Amino acid sequence: MHLYLREHPVRTLILTTSSEDEGRGCPRRALVFRAEGPKAASQAMVEFVPKEEVDFTGLIRLSARQIQGCLGLMNIENEIFLVVVTLAGPIGDLRPSSMKTEEVHRIQEVVFYGLNTSRYDDPAAAETSFPSPTYVDSADSMMMRETGYLNQQAQPSFYEHPAAAIASLFTTGTFYFTPAPVWDISSRLSQRVHKKEDLGDNFATYDGRFVWNEYIVKSLLDFRDRLDTSEKEELDKCQFIILAIQGYVGMYTVNLPTRPGDTGPILATVGLISRLGWKRAGTRFNTRGVDDDGNTANFVETETIFSTDAACMSYVQIRGSVPLFWEQQGLQTFRPTVQITRSQAASQPAFDRHFAQQAEEYGAVHAINLLGTRENEATLTDAYAAHLRALQSLGSFDIGITHYDFHDQVKKYGHDSVTEIRYHCLLFRNHLI
């Protein structure tokens, strides 16, 4: 897809399908953004129109690269920006045996284009002006660039972009999305299969805990919901809207032992998806514990997907900070000082709320506490156990805990001994069965 700018009479950004997109079966459509009228400083107007209705005369193509999709609209001090992914690299297909491709891309570059301001325009990045759609995606456009035709560019902006820090965050190599709307990377396999069957809507399956652009893409999803069914389907096929997660995605191919009667080797794909929650985000030593809504710091859902031509299995585990109100002042490597900032009576409601959310989402819960027996960690472990006993006394749902001194085990027996944890997981699994 391509992004164009029209300066007059009203500044307008136009996102269109490219010839490559249309060759893959995408409809010829355009998403038109403008900000005008009395609410131009805070509200954008969006239209979804056939590409034939766009007048390409005098339009400026803003990037020589293919646009990968739109992350949303962001308002910064009454300046509205359209956030688009301009560069992404493929990771692979996590379930190659599936009827629909489950491909994942890693975001490499994000650009913020002003919708109601030209202050931060970078003419050096604009490709050229195109007099008509005939020249779009054609060899003629390359010739125009090489000969300098219509290459009259202003001086680049000297203003510091207000979204520079956010753009840098999105290009750290830890954000991922799916290039086609046939599956949702934010929700685990079992959830998206069941929700898709129940609702029949790909975007209805996403897990808001892990979609890092949920706030800025919300207005586009609301716009999508107001379209009729056929228009909504065409918008989805155009792949204009991106839902991005932060974390890690990896894919590995495994050769399985052959069985009697097999005509050839059996290949399996192992996909690993770690989804970092955004509701209590922050660096390790600056953000700890739980908030009043039950969200814990550095919450991660990790899903392992094992797939062959005959079967597909998903295993999910979660981790997070100890769900109490506590702090760790400064970067103290050897003797970190832990301070519990609320009494048990004051923190129990948030603790209960956290585990109620996990039980509702995942079913029965068994926690593995990796804290040690040193003074500061022991203080947290004792408080953790006391809160858990209070919660268990209510009998509301099934929850258990295993205390495993990770540092002591590694110190005595090395990292290989940590595999002992899996036996606790297996015992809990057998209990559920």
Side-chain angles (χ1 to χ4, degrees), residues 43-110:
Q43 185 172 316
M45 297 178 61
V46 183
E47 292 180 90
F48 183 55
V49 300
K51 191 174 177 180
E52 289 74 18
E53 294 184 9
V54 176
D55 181 6
F56 282 81
T57 304
L59 292 189
I60 300 171
R61 181 170 157 183
L62 291 176
S63 174
R65 293 184 177 135
Q66 286 262 0
I67 303 298
Q68 304 297 313
C70 175
L71 289 168
L73 291 161
M74 180 176 288
N75 190 314
I76 305 176
E77 297 181 350
N78 291 327
E79 292 179 330
I80 303 174
F81 296 92
L82 179 67
V83 190
V84 298
V85 176
T86 54
L87 185 63
I91 299 298
D93 186 351
L94 291 178
R95 286 209 300 156
S97 60
S98 174
M99 293 180 62
K100 295 183 178 179
T101 301
E102 296 196 351
E103 191 175 351
V104 180
H105 284 197
R106 179 191 290 118
I107 294 176
Q108 296 173 336
E109 183 181 83
V110 170

Side-chain angles (χ1 to χ4, degrees), residues 79-362:
E79 292 179 330
I80 303 174
F81 296 92
L82 179 67
V83 190
V84 298
V85 176
T86 54
L87 185 63
I91 299 298
D93 186 351
L94 291 178
R95 286 209 300 156
S97 60
S98 174
M99 293 180 62
K100 295 183 178 179
T101 301
E102 296 196 351
E103 191 175 351
V104 180
H105 284 197
R106 179 191 290 118
I107 294 176
Q108 296 173 336
E109 183 181 83
V110 170
V111 179
F112 288 67
Y113 290 105
L115 186 57
N116 60 351
T117 177
S118 60
R119 181 181 303 177
Y120 310 103
D121 285 356
D122 182 8
E127 187 178 43
T128 187
S129 296
F130 292 94
S132 75
T134 306
Y135 294 96
V136 180
D137 311 323
S138 70
D140 292 331
S141 64
M142 180 64 71
M143 182 183 68
M144 291 164 65
R145 291 195 299 274
E146 292 175 350
T147 58
Y149 179 64
L150 292 179
N151 194 28
Q152 299 176 358
Q153 298 177 343
Q155 293 299 314
S157 170
F158 293 101
Y159 292 98
E160 181 180 358
H161 202 296
I166 304 174
S168 297
L169 173 66
F170 272 111
T171 56
T172 54
T174 60
F175 287 87
Y176 301 84
F177 71 98
T178 58
V182 296
W183 75 292
D184 166 39
I185 193 175
S186 70
S187 59
R188 55 195 184 277
L189 179 63
S190 60
Q191 292 298 104
R192 63 176 182 262
V193 168
H194 294 150
K195 288 182 180 178
K196 178 67 187 303
E197 291 176 350
D198 295 340
L199 302 175
D201 189 340
N202 293 299
F203 281 100
T205 67
Y206 80 89
D207 191 330
R209 298 175 301 165
F210 305 117
V211 176
W212 275 68
N213 61 318
E214 184 187 37
Y215 181 75
I216 62 174
V217 81
K218 182 70 164 60
S219 58
L220 291 181
L221 294 180
D222 290 343
F223 167 78
R224 174 186 176 275
D225 288 340
R226 292 191 294 269
L227 298 175
D228 60 40
T229 302
S230 60
E231 291 259 293
K232 190 182 298 184
E233 290 177 355
E234 290 218 332
L235 178 64
D236 292 348
K237 289 178 181 178
C238 292
Q239 305 171 21
F240 287 142
I241 301 175
I242 284 178
L243 301 181
I245 67 165
Q246 185 179 22
Y248 173 80
V249 179
M251 189 190 74
Y252 313 91
T253 302
V254 180
N255 289 316
L256 300 181
T258 58
R259 298 165 301 183
D262 288 340
T263 57
I266 301 175
L267 294 179
T269 301
V270 179
L272 184 68
I273 308 174
S274 283
R275 307 174 179 98
L276 176 63
W278 60 265
K279 292 190 175 182
R280 187 162 170 75
T283 55
R284 179 182 175 192
F285 288 96
N286 291 323
T287 306
R288 295 290 204 184
V290 71
D291 63 17
D292 285 301
D293 295 322
N295 304 306
T296 57
N298 297 305
F299 182 84
V300 179
E301 177 188 86
T302 298
E303 179 178 25
T304 304
I305 301 175
F306 180 84
S307 176
T308 68
D309 290 339
C312 181
M313 294 173 286
S314 168
Y315 174 76
V316 177
Q317 59 186 21
I318 58 175
R319 62 89 58 208
S321 185
V322 176
L324 305 174
F325 289 91
W326 61 283
E327 296 176 352
Q328 190 172 21
Q329 299 296 329
L331 183 60
Q332 303 163 16
T333 306
F334 299 105
R335 291 186 177 275
T337 301
V338 173
Q339 180 181 5
I340 296 178
T341 57
R342 288 194 193 181
S343 66
Q344 181 170 347
S347 59
Q348 190 72 48
F351 182 92
D352 295 352
R353 192 170 293 117
H354 169 72
F355 277 103
Q357 292 169 357
Q358 308 319 310
E360 181 180 3
E361 185 70 34
Y362 301 102

